[in-house]
Amino acid sequence: MEDAEQSFTLQVSISDHGYYTTVSARGALDRVSAPVFTAHVDAAWEWSDGPQLVLDLSGVTFCDFDGVAALASIARRLRDRDRGRVILAGVDGQLQRMLRRTGLITRFERRDSVEQAGEDLLDRSRSRGQMAMPGWSGSPPPSGLDRS
């Protein structure tokens, strides 16, 4: 029973890599967990310069339409602000099928892994001469959000 409970919870963490920030999700991205995921992305958005975000979705085991709606709001925010980059990493399986079915998959850059996305962001930073110093660019995280 413990395994079943873990597959329907979402664990979200934020990692700073100096020139980009990663938001990693593990578990189900659904009606209950989508607001938690969105809160973490919102916090990372404020901390990340640009922003330069990588959403590591390789650990997402299930995604419903509320999870897709959370990703759609991120895509809209990126389009409306007309700055920064958000790259989805590790999208496959059921999540990939949901994003394809809704057409949302075309609204994001995608890479196979966080490492691949990070290399791409680093290369772009170097070509623009915009190497950021490691560390958060904004205020400290709100309590209750996991930052590693």
Side-chain angles (χ1 to χ4, degrees), residues 14-45:
I14 301 172
S15 302
D16 174 44
H17 301 277
Y19 53 94
Y20 71 97
T21 302
T22 300
V23 178
S24 298
R26 304 278 179 264
L29 183 55
D30 58 15
R31 179 182 56 82
V32 173
S33 64
V36 173
F37 177 73
T38 300
H40 279 77
V41 171
D42 288 347
W45 195 288

Side-chain angles (χ1 to χ4, degrees), residues 90-147:
V91 174
D92 60 9
Q94 189 261 341
L95 176 58
Q96 185 174 24
R97 287 188 298 277
M98 288 289 287
L99 295 179
R100 283 187 197 280
R101 185 178 315 150
T102 61
L104 191 58
I105 201 157
T106 62
R107 309 239 342 251
F108 287 101
E109 294 180 64
R110 294 176 318 279
R111 302 295 181 275
D112 291 336
S113 67
V114 171
E115 295 77 19
Q116 190 180 53
E119 288 172 15
D120 186 39
L121 289 167
L122 178 60
D123 290 344
R124 189 168 185 190
S125 292
R126 285 180 179 153
S127 69
R128 291 181 169 187
Q130 300 173 335
M131 286 302 298
M133 295 302 293
W136 296 100
S137 61
S139 59
S143 62
L145 297 184
D146 179 21
R147 177 182 129 187

